[in-house]
Amino acid sequence: MTPLSDLHPVAEFPLGGLLAVYQRCPHSGIVEFSLCPRSAAASRVPHRRLSTGTHVDHLPQAWQEGQTAHQPESLIQLKLQGSPEPNGFGLGLTLRGSRDGESLRLTQQEVLRDAAGICIRTHLLHPGGLKLCHVLQWTRDQPFVRVHCEAENPLQHQVTIESFPSVSLGLLSPFDADEACERLYLHRFRSTWSAEGRHECQLLEDLNLERSWAGYGVRSERWGQRGSMPVRGYFPWGAVEDRPAGVFWGLQLDAPGSWQMELGRRKDKVTLSGGLPDRDFGAWWKTLAPGQRFVTPAATLACVQGDLDDLCHALTRAQRVAADLRPPADQTLPIVYNEWCTSWGEPTHADMQATAEVLAGTPVRIMVIDDGWATKPEGHGIQFNGDWEVDERKFPGGLAPTTRMLREKGFLPGIWFEMEVATRGTKAFDRTDHLLHRHGTPVEVGERRFWDFRKPETVAYLTKKLIDRLRGDGFAYLKVDYNDSLPEGIDGPESPGENLRQHLLGVQAFFRRLREALPDLILENCSSGGHRLEPGFQGLCSMGSFSDAHETLSIPILAANLHRLILPEQSQIWCVLHPGDTPQRMRYGLTATFLGRMALSGNLRSFSPEQTRILHSALHFLPPCTHILRNGKTRLLRELSPSWNAPRGWQAVWRHTPTEALLVLHVFAEPPAEGLTLPLTEGPWQLADQFGEPCEVLLQSGHLRLQGLPPFSGLALRFIHP
């Protein structure tokens, strides 16, 4: 147990390159939590005590003495039902800074150390008797911490929580003595269908987050997502940069459904918080019965002295723990062929066999039957889900003959399922007792209704339809798709938002059931491409579909964006090839797949000898890069126009380990006429292999000179230390 006094700071914990700081206000008793890079700890400055200046000089003397410059923010933000709403014009904008959070008082701080790392449990007590705990876990040699909060009701009556974020990171920034004018920036990543990961950087003044002249009036920027597609609008990610100090603070949430983040300010300092949506943002509240306990989802925090790529590397390192648990057959990051952009929903055994004969003997190891293998009414179109009966006109004798054929030719067979929905026209669509409801009627989005994963009957039905089929037909790979979003709330015994959360926990439990029943199964996380690229779902799967951008010019841009948000070894990147493609177009698309996991599609059966040579060259270039993709660090360089549909400029992704490096370069419209000169970090380097558009490549004094690349071309270079 670490005693806390009234001094500032009162407890500091060195955690590798991080410093975790806990401070308590001597007047209010509020305990505040912050992080600092240890490399920058000596640059922290004492904060001014009072706000001064002409705007307060003529206030009454008692008012001037009350102009404290900083108002501490509790490390646990809490709002209970029935308590006063936050003041300062905050109602409807925020539930932060409520009387419940400000009234929490420290009871003890436990520090549990072992060979793996440190767990710091900070216990607080609400005046009404509710017990709270802020939990920080650090694993030795890691550049991040994991944080969550816990609530326990020891009372004889129920208590309802209306806001309870997983983390609240205060004192941004400790490197400025006052309100940090024009030095703090908010970083976020926007995301829409087939346009994932657009980086957004805004000065806090441009967000109207300057402090008020009197330190009164809430300043809040709140963002997030409502529903069951967590990466829709924004990734569950946020960061604050102190540009003069060269320091970033970053937060990434485990969020299978609705979530929110908030950048808030009352006086000088800014606070970044995030976790479950609150009552106002996501119709979420949680009632704790006597003796009941609630634990928030975990959040990952990092703080670096460096740049955005350094911060993103630190945050994505947290995803490696789950990624390392992939099945043995996926450890080498095998190349995938998916027939979707070949048949567009009309796969057949004959087509799979013909393509398998073309790819036999190549490094491609997985072949996936996508949507359209199940029976559907004549003229129905695609995605007829829920009954999942094999269309034996396409697959005579069922799917087992196809999986046997693929295995005989050296491939792992895969199949597509959209297991969480039933579409109009199926018998499952009318099994309303097993489906989700809202306001008493089944939730219906377009042609889809949604299974209720809180019901044992749903799990039993899907076990028969999905797990038994995978096992019986001999599948080794499952692409799990999910093509529309639930609303922010559904019917059930708790609040609308909590009912949705419980359902999604049931979905994730079914993913675990799949892994337990079929431990060698390779799982792909797909949700119309990238709508579930968050740590929770990614941690249950070997890889995620990076996007539904199948053949767009923006594919290299999206693939590079995702280096900052997920692990490249878990980012499956499409390359659709056609007999009519030019060599340059083929090299452009194939090179983009070197930014993650290669996923081929298209008609490969009518290629010319030159096209076959280009494809085979790419297939053999990628496997030696596996170690770099798995263990490297990314540096993203680009000069890019705002439009991704008609991109101009260039992009270079440099990923390196201490002994190897991979450079993936794309030029778009209007590349520099004088060519490109790029710095090679962590050198010296020697060129070991290359694939892509022929051009002049010159290595000299820590720089790479490239000349002669035409618009919309790609080039990949692999380096080793000499």
Side-chain angles (χ1 to χ4, degrees), residues 209-255:
L209 289 177
E210 282 190 285
R211 67 162 284 160
S212 70
W213 67 269
Y216 187 76
V218 169
R219 304 295 195 249
S220 175
E221 175 75 6
R222 183 169 61 177
W223 71 100
Q225 194 281 139
R226 304 171 183 90
S228 55
M229 281 183 163
V231 181
R232 187 185 58 159
Y234 285 99
F235 277 78
W237 191 103
V240 174
E241 174 192 5
D242 183 334
R243 189 157 292 178
V247 173
F248 283 78
W249 294 265
L251 166 61
Q252 188 165 30
L253 301 176
D254 289 10

Side-chain angles (χ1 to χ4, degrees), residues 488-560:
E488 67 180 17
I490 55 177
D491 291 352
E494 305 207 51
S495 67
E498 177 63 6
N499 291 329
L500 175 64
R501 190 182 78 90
Q502 292 290 338
H503 160 72
L504 290 170
L505 290 178
V507 172
Q508 292 189 313
F510 194 81
F511 273 74
R512 295 186 185 94
R513 187 182 184 93
L514 277 164
R515 294 178 64 169
E516 292 165 2
L518 303 164
D520 293 329
L521 183 69
I522 300 172
L523 278 170
E524 176 192 337
N525 169 32
C526 180
S527 178
S528 285
H531 282 130
R532 274 182 169 169
L533 294 180
E534 58 83 34
F537 272 108
Q538 284 290 92
L540 294 170
C541 300
S542 291
M543 67 190 89
S545 177
F546 88 121
S547 179
D548 264 354
H550 299 126
E551 301 187 61
T552 67
L553 294 172
S554 63
I555 284 177
I557 299 168
L558 307 184

Side-chain angles (χ1 to χ4, degrees), residues 567-588:
L567 296 172
E569 67 188 272
Q570 288 192 290
S571 182
Q572 185 190 100
I573 301 163
W574 285 90
C575 178
V576 183
L577 301 171
H578 304 285
D581 288 343
T582 65
Q584 182 175 327
R585 172 67 180 179
M586 287 184 68
R587 288 189 284 257
Y588 180 90

Side-chain angles (χ1 to χ4, degrees), residues 642-665:
S643 172
W644 292 352
N645 291 338
R648 304 185 309 277
W650 60 273
Q651 170 186 282
V653 179
W654 174 259
R655 188 163 179 87
H656 68 90
T657 73
T659 58
E660 302 172 273
L662 174 65
L663 179 73
V664 179
L665 174 72

Side-chain angles (χ1 to χ4, degrees), residues 287-341:
T287 298
L288 299 184
Q292 191 174 359
R293 183 169 169 266
F294 181 75
V295 179
T296 70
T300 302
L301 284 173
C303 182
V304 301
Q305 188 171 31
D307 61 18
L308 180 63
D309 285 327
D310 294 320
L311 174 69
C312 293
H313 179 70
L315 288 169
T316 55
R317 281 278 295 274
Q319 300 174 35
R320 281 211 58 87
V321 176
D324 286 341
L325 299 177
R326 61 166 48 91
D330 197 51
Q331 292 294 334
T332 59
L333 313 189
I335 298 170
V336 177
Y337 174 85
N338 183 309
E339 59 73 41
W340 171 248
C341 293

